[in-house]
Tab-separated table of all heavy atoms in Angstrom:
chain	number	residue	atom	x	y	z
A	206	ALA	N	4.157	-3.343	-7.566
A	206	ALA	CA	3.869	-2.271	-6.608
A	206	ALA	C	5.004	-1.256	-6.554
A	206	ALA	O	4.766	-0.045	-6.505
A	206	ALA	CB	3.617	-2.866	-5.226
A	207	ALA	N	6.264	-1.744	-6.568
A	207	ALA	CA	7.417	-0.836	-6.500
A	207	ALA	C	7.527	0.010	-7.763
A	207	ALA	O	7.821	1.218	-7.702
A	207	ALA	CB	8.691	-1.649	-6.297
A	208	LEU	N	7.302	-0.600	-8.921
A	208	LEU	CA	7.375	0.143	-10.182
A	208	LEU	C	6.250	1.163	-10.282
A	208	LEU	O	6.456	2.296	-10.741
A	208	LEU	CB	7.326	-0.821	-11.361
A	208	LEU	CG	8.547	-1.732	-11.537
A	208	LEU	CD1	8.325	-2.720	-12.672
A	208	LEU	CD2	9.801	-0.909	-11.807
A	209	LYS	N	5.059	0.765	-9.851
A	209	LYS	CA	3.926	1.689	-9.877
A	209	LYS	C	4.187	2.897	-8.985
A	209	LYS	O	3.888	4.039	-9.353
A	209	LYS	CB	2.655	0.964	-9.432
A	209	LYS	CG	1.396	1.820	-9.521
A	209	LYS	CD	0.160	1.014	-9.109
A	209	LYS	CE	-1.101	1.863	-9.189
A	209	LYS	NZ	-2.305	1.089	-8.771
A	210	LYS	N	4.768	2.646	-7.819
A	210	LYS	CA	5.105	3.736	-6.893
A	210	LYS	C	6.128	4.673	-7.517
A	210	LYS	O	6.129	5.882	-7.265
A	210	LYS	CB	5.646	3.159	-5.587
A	210	LYS	CG	5.908	4.197	-4.520
A	210	LYS	CD	6.367	3.544	-3.214
A	210	LYS	CE	6.630	4.583	-2.146
A	210	LYS	NZ	7.086	3.963	-0.872
A	211	ALA	N	7.014	4.120	-8.362
A	211	ALA	CA	8.040	4.934	-9.033
A	211	ALA	C	7.502	5.612	-10.288
A	211	ALA	O	8.235	6.337	-10.968
A	211	ALA	CB	9.238	4.059	-9.389
A	212	GLY	N	6.216	5.367	-10.614
A	212	GLY	CA	5.603	6.023	-11.761
A	212	GLY	C	5.644	5.222	-13.035
A	212	GLY	O	5.461	5.779	-14.128
A	213	LEU	N	5.873	3.913	-12.934
A	213	LEU	CA	5.983	3.063	-14.109
A	213	LEU	C	4.973	1.913	-14.001
A	213	LEU	O	5.241	0.908	-13.354
A	213	LEU	CB	7.407	2.503	-14.234
A	213	LEU	CG	7.853	1.975	-15.594
A	213	LEU	CD1	7.799	3.078	-16.644
A	213	LEU	CD2	9.256	1.409	-15.504
A	214	PRO	N	3.800	2.046	-14.643
A	214	PRO	CA	2.784	0.986	-14.536
A	214	PRO	C	3.169	-0.243	-15.347
A	214	PRO	O	4.007	-0.177	-16.253
A	214	PRO	CB	1.534	1.651	-15.108
A	214	PRO	CG	2.062	2.675	-16.072
A	214	PRO	CD	3.343	3.189	-15.453
A	215	LEU	N	2.526	-1.357	-15.036
A	215	LEU	CA	2.812	-2.617	-15.723
A	215	LEU	C	2.583	-2.488	-17.227
A	215	LEU	O	3.327	-3.065	-18.029
A	215	LEU	CB	1.927	-3.728	-15.149
A	215	LEU	CG	2.103	-5.131	-15.743
A	215	LEU	CD1	3.494	-5.661	-15.465
A	215	LEU	CD2	1.045	-6.081	-15.180
A	216	SER	N	1.580	-1.724	-17.633
A	216	SER	CA	1.247	-1.575	-19.054
A	216	SER	C	2.359	-0.906	-19.852
A	216	SER	O	2.419	-1.029	-21.080
A	216	SER	CB	-0.046	-0.767	-19.203
A	216	SER	OG	0.095	0.517	-18.605
A	217	ALA	N	3.257	-0.198	-19.165
A	217	ALA	CA	4.345	0.490	-19.859
A	217	ALA	C	5.554	-0.401	-20.098
A	217	ALA	O	6.493	-0.022	-20.797
A	217	ALA	CB	4.773	1.722	-19.051
Side-chain angles (χ1 to χ4, degrees):
L208 292 175
K209 184 178 180 181
K210 185 177 180 180
L213 199 61
L215 181 64
S216 59

